[in-house]
Short mmCIF file of all heavy atoms in Angstrom, two decimals:
data_model
loop_
_atom_site.label_atom_id
_atom_site.label_comp_id
_atom_site.label_asym_id
_atom_site.label_seq_id
_atom_site.Cartn_x
_atom_site.Cartn_y
_atom_site.Cartn_z
N ILE A 95 0.83 -1.20 -0.01
CA ILE A 95 -0.01 0.00 0.00
C ILE A 95 0.86 1.25 0.00
O ILE A 95 0.61 2.22 -0.72
CB ILE A 95 -0.95 -0.01 1.21
CG1 ILE A 95 -2.00 -1.12 1.05
CG2 ILE A 95 -1.64 1.34 1.38
CD1 ILE A 95 -2.86 -1.36 2.25
N LEU A 96 1.94 1.23 0.81
CA LEU A 96 2.84 2.38 0.87
C LEU A 96 3.50 2.63 -0.47
O LEU A 96 3.69 3.78 -0.90
CB LEU A 96 3.90 2.16 1.94
CG LEU A 96 3.40 2.19 3.40
CD1 LEU A 96 4.52 1.81 4.35
CD2 LEU A 96 2.87 3.58 3.74
N ILE A 97 3.86 1.56 -1.18
CA ILE A 97 4.48 1.72 -2.50
C ILE A 97 3.48 2.34 -3.48
O ILE A 97 3.83 3.24 -4.25
CB ILE A 97 4.98 0.35 -3.03
CG1 ILE A 97 6.16 -0.12 -2.20
CG2 ILE A 97 5.36 0.46 -4.51
CD1 ILE A 97 6.63 -1.52 -2.57
N LEU A 98 2.21 1.89 -3.44
CA LEU A 98 1.19 2.42 -4.34
C LEU A 98 0.95 3.91 -4.07
O LEU A 98 0.81 4.71 -4.99
CB LEU A 98 -0.11 1.63 -4.17
CG LEU A 98 -0.12 0.22 -4.74
CD1 LEU A 98 -1.40 -0.50 -4.35
CD2 LEU A 98 0.03 0.25 -6.26
N ILE A 99 0.88 4.26 -2.77
CA ILE A 99 0.67 5.68 -2.43
C ILE A 99 1.81 6.53 -2.93
O ILE A 99 1.61 7.63 -3.47
CB ILE A 99 0.52 5.82 -0.90
CG1 ILE A 99 -0.77 5.18 -0.44
CG2 ILE A 99 0.55 7.30 -0.49
CD1 ILE A 99 -0.97 5.14 1.06
N SER A 100 3.03 6.01 -2.79
CA SER A 100 4.21 6.76 -3.26
C SER A 100 4.15 6.96 -4.77
O SER A 100 4.44 8.04 -5.28
CB SER A 100 5.46 6.00 -2.87
OG SER A 100 6.60 6.64 -3.37
N CYS A 101 3.74 5.94 -5.50
CA CYS A 101 3.64 6.04 -6.97
C CYS A 101 2.57 7.04 -7.36
O CYS A 101 2.72 7.81 -8.30
CB CYS A 101 3.32 4.67 -7.56
SG CYS A 101 4.70 3.50 -7.43
N LYS A 102 1.46 7.02 -6.62
CA LYS A 102 0.35 7.95 -6.92
C LYS A 102 0.82 9.39 -6.78
O LYS A 102 0.50 10.26 -7.59
CB LYS A 102 -0.83 7.70 -5.97
CG LYS A 102 -1.59 6.43 -6.25
CD LYS A 102 -2.45 6.56 -7.51
CE LYS A 102 -3.31 5.35 -7.73
NZ LYS A 102 -4.13 5.48 -8.97
N LYS A 103 1.61 9.64 -5.73
CA LYS A 103 2.08 11.01 -5.51
C LYS A 103 2.98 11.45 -6.65
O LYS A 103 2.96 12.59 -7.07
CB LYS A 103 2.85 11.07 -4.19
CG LYS A 103 1.93 11.01 -2.98
CD LYS A 103 2.71 11.16 -1.69
CE LYS A 103 1.79 11.12 -0.47
NZ LYS A 103 2.55 11.26 0.79
N GLU A 104 3.80 10.53 -7.14
CA GLU A 104 4.71 10.87 -8.23
C GLU A 104 3.97 11.12 -9.54
O GLU A 104 4.42 11.86 -10.39
CB GLU A 104 5.74 9.76 -8.41
CG GLU A 104 6.73 9.65 -7.27
CD GLU A 104 7.69 8.52 -7.48
OE1 GLU A 104 7.56 7.83 -8.52
OE2 GLU A 104 8.59 8.33 -6.63
N GLU A 105 2.80 10.48 -9.67
CA GLU A 105 2.05 10.60 -10.93
C GLU A 105 1.19 11.86 -10.96
O GLU A 105 0.64 12.20 -12.00
CB GLU A 105 1.14 9.38 -11.10
CG GLU A 105 1.92 8.11 -11.41
CD GLU A 105 1.00 6.90 -11.42
OE1 GLU A 105 -0.23 7.08 -11.21
OE2 GLU A 105 1.50 5.79 -11.62
N VAL A 106 1.03 12.57 -9.82
CA VAL A 106 0.18 13.77 -9.78
C VAL A 106 0.79 14.83 -10.67
O VAL A 106 1.97 15.14 -10.61
CB VAL A 106 0.06 14.29 -8.33
CG1 VAL A 106 -0.67 15.61 -8.34
CG2 VAL A 106 -0.69 13.26 -7.49
N THR A 107 -0.03 15.38 -11.55
CA THR A 107 0.42 16.44 -12.46
C THR A 107 -0.34 17.72 -12.17
O THR A 107 -1.42 17.71 -11.58
CB THR A 107 0.19 16.03 -13.91
OG1 THR A 107 -1.19 15.71 -14.08
CG2 THR A 107 1.03 14.81 -14.27
N ASP A 108 0.22 18.81 -12.62
CA ASP A 108 -0.42 20.11 -12.44
C ASP A 108 -1.45 20.31 -13.52
O ASP A 108 -1.12 20.49 -14.68
CB ASP A 108 0.65 21.21 -12.49
CG ASP A 108 0.07 22.58 -12.22
OD1 ASP A 108 -1.13 22.62 -11.85
OD2 ASP A 108 0.78 23.56 -12.38
N ASN A 109 -2.73 20.29 -13.11
CA ASN A 109 -3.82 20.42 -14.06
C ASN A 109 -4.31 21.87 -14.18
O ASN A 109 -5.38 22.12 -14.70
CB ASN A 109 -5.00 19.51 -13.67
CG ASN A 109 -4.63 18.05 -13.83
OD1 ASN A 109 -3.94 17.68 -14.77
ND2 ASN A 109 -5.08 17.22 -12.89
N THR A 110 -3.52 22.78 -13.63
CA THR A 110 -3.93 24.19 -13.71
C THR A 110 -3.99 24.62 -15.17
O THR A 110 -3.05 24.42 -15.93
CB THR A 110 -2.92 25.07 -12.95
OG1 THR A 110 -2.81 24.60 -11.62
CG2 THR A 110 -3.38 26.52 -12.96
N ALA A 111 -5.11 25.22 -15.54
CA ALA A 111 -5.27 25.66 -16.93
C ALA A 111 -4.27 26.75 -17.27
O ALA A 111 -4.02 27.65 -16.46
CB ALA A 111 -6.70 26.18 -17.14
N PRO A 112 -3.65 26.69 -18.44
CA PRO A 112 -2.67 27.72 -18.82
C PRO A 112 -3.35 29.06 -18.98
O PRO A 112 -4.49 29.17 -19.40
CB PRO A 112 -2.12 27.20 -20.16
CG PRO A 112 -3.19 26.32 -20.69
CD PRO A 112 -3.83 25.68 -19.49
N ILE A 113 -2.62 30.10 -18.63
CA ILE A 113 -3.17 31.45 -18.77
C ILE A 113 -3.17 31.84 -20.24
O ILE A 113 -2.16 31.79 -20.93
CB ILE A 113 -2.31 32.48 -17.98
CG1 ILE A 113 -2.32 32.09 -16.49
CG2 ILE A 113 -2.82 33.88 -18.19
CD1 ILE A 113 -1.40 32.96 -15.64
N GLU A 114 -4.37 32.19 -20.73
CA GLU A 114 -4.48 32.53 -22.14
C GLU A 114 -3.84 33.88 -22.41
O GLU A 114 -4.07 34.85 -21.70
CB GLU A 114 -5.97 32.58 -22.55
CG GLU A 114 -6.65 31.22 -22.50
CD GLU A 114 -8.07 31.31 -23.04
OE1 GLU A 114 -8.46 32.41 -23.50
OE2 GLU A 114 -8.77 30.31 -23.00
N GLN A 115 -3.03 33.93 -23.44
CA GLN A 115 -2.38 35.18 -23.80
C GLN A 115 -3.33 36.03 -24.63
O GLN A 115 -4.13 35.52 -25.41
CB GLN A 115 -1.10 34.90 -24.61
CG GLN A 115 -0.01 34.20 -23.80
CD GLN A 115 1.25 34.03 -24.61
OE1 GLN A 115 1.24 34.18 -25.85
NE2 GLN A 115 2.35 33.73 -23.95
N GLU A 116 -3.25 37.33 -24.41
CA GLU A 116 -4.09 38.23 -25.16
C GLU A 116 -3.66 38.22 -26.63
O GLU A 116 -2.47 38.24 -26.94
CB GLU A 116 -3.97 39.65 -24.59
CG GLU A 116 -4.53 39.82 -23.19
CD GLU A 116 -6.02 39.70 -23.14
OE1 GLU A 116 -6.67 39.75 -24.21
OE2 GLU A 116 -6.59 39.56 -22.05
N PRO A 117 -4.63 38.17 -27.57
CA PRO A 117 -4.27 38.20 -28.98
C PRO A 117 -3.64 39.55 -29.34
O PRO A 117 -4.04 40.59 -28.85
CB PRO A 117 -5.62 38.04 -29.69
CG PRO A 117 -6.65 38.48 -28.69
CD PRO A 117 -6.09 38.09 -27.35
N ILE A 118 -2.61 39.48 -30.17
CA ILE A 118 -1.87 40.71 -30.54
C ILE A 118 -2.01 40.95 -32.03
O ILE A 118 -1.82 40.05 -32.85
CB ILE A 118 -0.37 40.57 -30.16
CG1 ILE A 118 -0.23 40.42 -28.64
CG2 ILE A 118 0.40 41.77 -30.66
CD1 ILE A 118 1.19 40.17 -28.20
N LEU A 119 -2.34 42.17 -32.36
CA LEU A 119 -2.45 42.58 -33.76
C LEU A 119 -1.30 43.51 -34.07
O LEU A 119 -1.12 44.55 -33.45
CB LEU A 119 -3.80 43.30 -33.99
CG LEU A 119 -4.09 43.80 -35.38
CD1 LEU A 119 -4.23 42.62 -36.36
CD2 LEU A 119 -5.39 44.61 -35.39
N ASN A 120 -0.46 43.12 -35.04
CA ASN A 120 0.67 43.96 -35.43
C ASN A 120 0.18 45.15 -36.27
O ASN A 120 -0.44 44.97 -37.31
CB ASN A 120 1.69 43.13 -36.22
CG ASN A 120 2.34 42.05 -35.36
OD1 ASN A 120 2.63 42.28 -34.19
ND2 ASN A 120 2.55 40.88 -35.94
N LEU A 121 0.49 46.33 -35.80
CA LEU A 121 0.02 47.54 -36.46
C LEU A 121 1.19 48.42 -36.88
O LEU A 121 2.21 48.50 -36.19
CB LEU A 121 -0.89 48.34 -35.50
CG LEU A 121 -2.19 47.66 -35.05
CD1 LEU A 121 -2.85 48.48 -33.97
CD2 LEU A 121 -3.13 47.46 -36.23
N SER A 122 1.00 49.09 -38.01
CA SER A 122 2.00 50.05 -38.51
C SER A 122 1.25 51.31 -38.93
O SER A 122 0.40 51.27 -39.82
CB SER A 122 2.78 49.47 -39.69
OG SER A 122 3.73 50.38 -40.16
N SER A 123 1.56 52.42 -38.29
CA SER A 123 0.82 53.66 -38.56
C SER A 123 1.09 54.22 -39.93
O SER A 123 2.16 54.01 -40.52
CB SER A 123 1.14 54.71 -37.48
OG SER A 123 2.53 55.03 -37.51
N SER A 124 0.12 54.96 -40.44
CA SER A 124 0.22 55.59 -41.75
C SER A 124 -0.09 57.09 -41.62
O SER A 124 -0.52 57.55 -40.56
CB SER A 124 -0.75 54.96 -42.74
OG SER A 124 -0.52 53.58 -42.88
N ILE A 125 0.09 57.81 -42.70
CA ILE A 125 -0.24 59.25 -42.72
C ILE A 125 -1.76 59.39 -42.84
O ILE A 125 -2.38 58.74 -43.69
CB ILE A 125 0.46 59.97 -43.87
CG1 ILE A 125 1.98 59.86 -43.70
CG2 ILE A 125 0.04 61.45 -43.92
CD1 ILE A 125 2.76 60.44 -44.88
N SER A 126 -2.35 60.22 -42.00
CA SER A 126 -3.80 60.40 -42.02
C SER A 126 -4.23 61.02 -43.36
O SER A 126 -3.55 61.86 -43.92
CB SER A 126 -4.23 61.30 -40.87
OG SER A 126 -5.62 61.59 -40.96
N PRO A 127 -5.39 60.60 -43.91
CA PRO A 127 -5.88 61.14 -45.17
C PRO A 127 -6.35 62.60 -45.07
O PRO A 127 -6.60 63.24 -46.09
CB PRO A 127 -7.02 60.21 -45.53
CG PRO A 127 -7.48 59.65 -44.23
CD PRO A 127 -6.27 59.53 -43.38
N PHE A 128 -6.48 63.11 -43.87
CA PHE A 128 -6.86 64.51 -43.66
C PHE A 128 -6.26 64.96 -42.33
O PHE A 128 -5.79 64.15 -41.53
CB PHE A 128 -8.37 64.72 -43.68
CG PHE A 128 -9.12 63.90 -42.66
CD1 PHE A 128 -9.39 64.41 -41.40
CD2 PHE A 128 -9.55 62.62 -42.96
CE1 PHE A 128 -10.07 63.67 -40.46
CE2 PHE A 128 -10.23 61.85 -42.03
CZ PHE A 128 -10.49 62.38 -40.77
N THR A 129 -6.26 66.26 -42.10
CA THR A 129 -5.64 66.81 -40.90
C THR A 129 -6.43 66.44 -39.65
O THR A 129 -7.64 66.65 -39.59
CB THR A 129 -5.53 68.35 -40.99
OG1 THR A 129 -4.78 68.70 -42.16
CG2 THR A 129 -4.83 68.92 -39.76
N LEU A 130 -5.72 65.91 -38.69
CA LEU A 130 -6.34 65.56 -37.42
C LEU A 130 -6.07 66.65 -36.40
O LEU A 130 -4.92 67.09 -36.23
CB LEU A 130 -5.79 64.22 -36.90
CG LEU A 130 -6.04 63.00 -37.79
CD1 LEU A 130 -5.38 61.76 -37.15
CD2 LEU A 130 -7.52 62.75 -38.00
N ASP A 131 -7.13 67.09 -35.73
CA ASP A 131 -6.96 68.12 -34.70
C ASP A 131 -6.15 67.59 -33.53
O ASP A 131 -5.39 68.31 -32.90
CB ASP A 131 -8.33 68.60 -34.20
CG ASP A 131 -9.12 69.32 -35.30
OD1 ASP A 131 -8.48 69.77 -36.28
OD2 ASP A 131 -10.36 69.41 -35.18
N LEU A 132 -6.34 66.32 -33.23
CA LEU A 132 -5.61 65.70 -32.12
C LEU A 132 -4.29 65.15 -32.67
O LEU A 132 -4.26 64.08 -33.30
CB LEU A 132 -6.46 64.57 -31.51
CG LEU A 132 -6.00 63.98 -30.19
CD1 LEU A 132 -6.02 65.04 -29.09
CD2 LEU A 132 -6.87 62.80 -29.79
N SER A 133 -3.23 65.87 -32.43
CA SER A 133 -1.94 65.49 -33.01
C SER A 133 -1.41 64.17 -32.48
O SER A 133 -0.59 63.52 -33.15
CB SER A 133 -0.90 66.60 -32.73
OG SER A 133 -0.76 66.80 -31.34
N SER A 134 -1.91 63.76 -31.31
CA SER A 134 -1.43 62.51 -30.74
C SER A 134 -2.20 61.29 -31.21
O SER A 134 -1.92 60.17 -30.79
CB SER A 134 -1.51 62.58 -29.20
OG SER A 134 -2.84 62.80 -28.78
N ALA A 135 -3.18 61.48 -32.09
CA ALA A 135 -3.94 60.35 -32.63
C ALA A 135 -3.13 59.63 -33.71
O ALA A 135 -2.34 60.25 -34.43
CB ALA A 135 -5.26 60.82 -33.19
N ASN A 136 -3.33 58.34 -33.82
CA ASN A 136 -2.64 57.53 -34.82
C ASN A 136 -3.64 56.99 -35.85
O ASN A 136 -4.78 56.69 -35.51
CB ASN A 136 -1.90 56.37 -34.17
CG ASN A 136 -0.75 56.82 -33.29
OD1 ASN A 136 0.00 57.69 -33.66
ND2 ASN A 136 -0.64 56.22 -32.11
N PHE A 137 -3.18 56.87 -37.09
CA PHE A 137 -4.03 56.37 -38.17
C PHE A 137 -3.41 55.09 -38.72
O PHE A 137 -2.22 55.03 -39.03
CB PHE A 137 -4.15 57.40 -39.28
CG PHE A 137 -4.88 56.91 -40.51
CD1 PHE A 137 -6.24 56.64 -40.48
CD2 PHE A 137 -4.19 56.69 -41.71
CE1 PHE A 137 -6.91 56.17 -41.59
CE2 PHE A 137 -4.85 56.24 -42.83
CZ PHE A 137 -6.22 55.97 -42.76
N TYR A 138 -4.23 54.04 -38.85
CA TYR A 138 -3.80 52.75 -39.38
C TYR A 138 -4.66 52.39 -40.58
O TYR A 138 -5.89 52.41 -40.48
CB TYR A 138 -3.89 51.67 -38.30
CG TYR A 138 -3.09 52.01 -37.06
CD1 TYR A 138 -3.71 52.62 -35.96
CD2 TYR A 138 -1.73 51.71 -36.98
CE1 TYR A 138 -2.98 52.95 -34.82
CE2 TYR A 138 -1.00 52.03 -35.84
CZ TYR A 138 -1.62 52.66 -34.77
OH TYR A 138 -0.90 52.98 -33.65
N GLN A 139 -4.02 52.09 -41.69
CA GLN A 139 -4.72 51.92 -42.97
C GLN A 139 -4.75 50.47 -43.41
O GLN A 139 -3.77 49.73 -43.25
CB GLN A 139 -4.04 52.79 -44.03
CG GLN A 139 -4.79 52.87 -45.35
CD GLN A 139 -4.08 53.84 -46.31
OE1 GLN A 139 -2.88 53.98 -46.30
NE2 GLN A 139 -4.86 54.51 -47.14
N ASN A 140 -5.89 50.09 -44.00
CA ASN A 140 -6.04 48.77 -44.65
C ASN A 140 -5.67 47.59 -43.74
O ASN A 140 -4.87 46.73 -44.10
CB ASN A 140 -5.21 48.71 -45.93
CG ASN A 140 -5.75 49.65 -47.00
OD1 ASN A 140 -6.95 49.92 -47.06
ND2 ASN A 140 -4.86 50.15 -47.85
N ILE A 141 -6.27 47.55 -42.58
CA ILE A 141 -6.11 46.39 -41.68
C ILE A 141 -7.06 45.30 -42.18
O ILE A 141 -8.25 45.51 -42.32
CB ILE A 141 -6.45 46.77 -40.23
CG1 ILE A 141 -5.56 47.92 -39.76
CG2 ILE A 141 -6.33 45.56 -39.33
CD1 ILE A 141 -5.94 48.48 -38.39
N SER A 142 -6.54 44.14 -42.46
CA SER A 142 -7.35 43.04 -43.00
C SER A 142 -8.11 42.33 -41.86
O SER A 142 -7.52 41.95 -40.87
CB SER A 142 -6.46 42.02 -43.73
OG SER A 142 -5.84 42.61 -44.84
#
């Protein structure tokens, strides 16, 4: 019985669900098609 218990302990695995990573979208800014009043705004063109 002691041998079986010892084996059981060794077989225990971590079933904690992996932390899902946030999806990342690669962006590259472009020149705005018209003047933006907010100079700190960014414009991204033709994102599929």
Side-chain angles (χ1 to χ4, degrees):
I95 292 172
L96 290 174
I97 291 176
L98 287 173
I99 292 174
S100 176
C101 291
K102 287 286 185 180
K103 287 183 179 180
E104 291 179 359
E105 290 174 1
V106 173
T107 56
D108 184 7
N109 292 322
T110 304
I113 299 175
E114 293 186 4
Q115 294 183 345
E116 294 291 346
I118 297 175
L119 181 64
N120 294 321
L121 298 171
S122 180
S123 61
S124 303
I125 299 175
S126 175
F128 57 91
T129 302
L130 299 178
D131 294 340
L132 192 63
S133 59
S134 59
N136 294 316
F137 173 69
Y138 303 95
Q139 188 176 33
N140 293 330
I141 301 173
S142 297

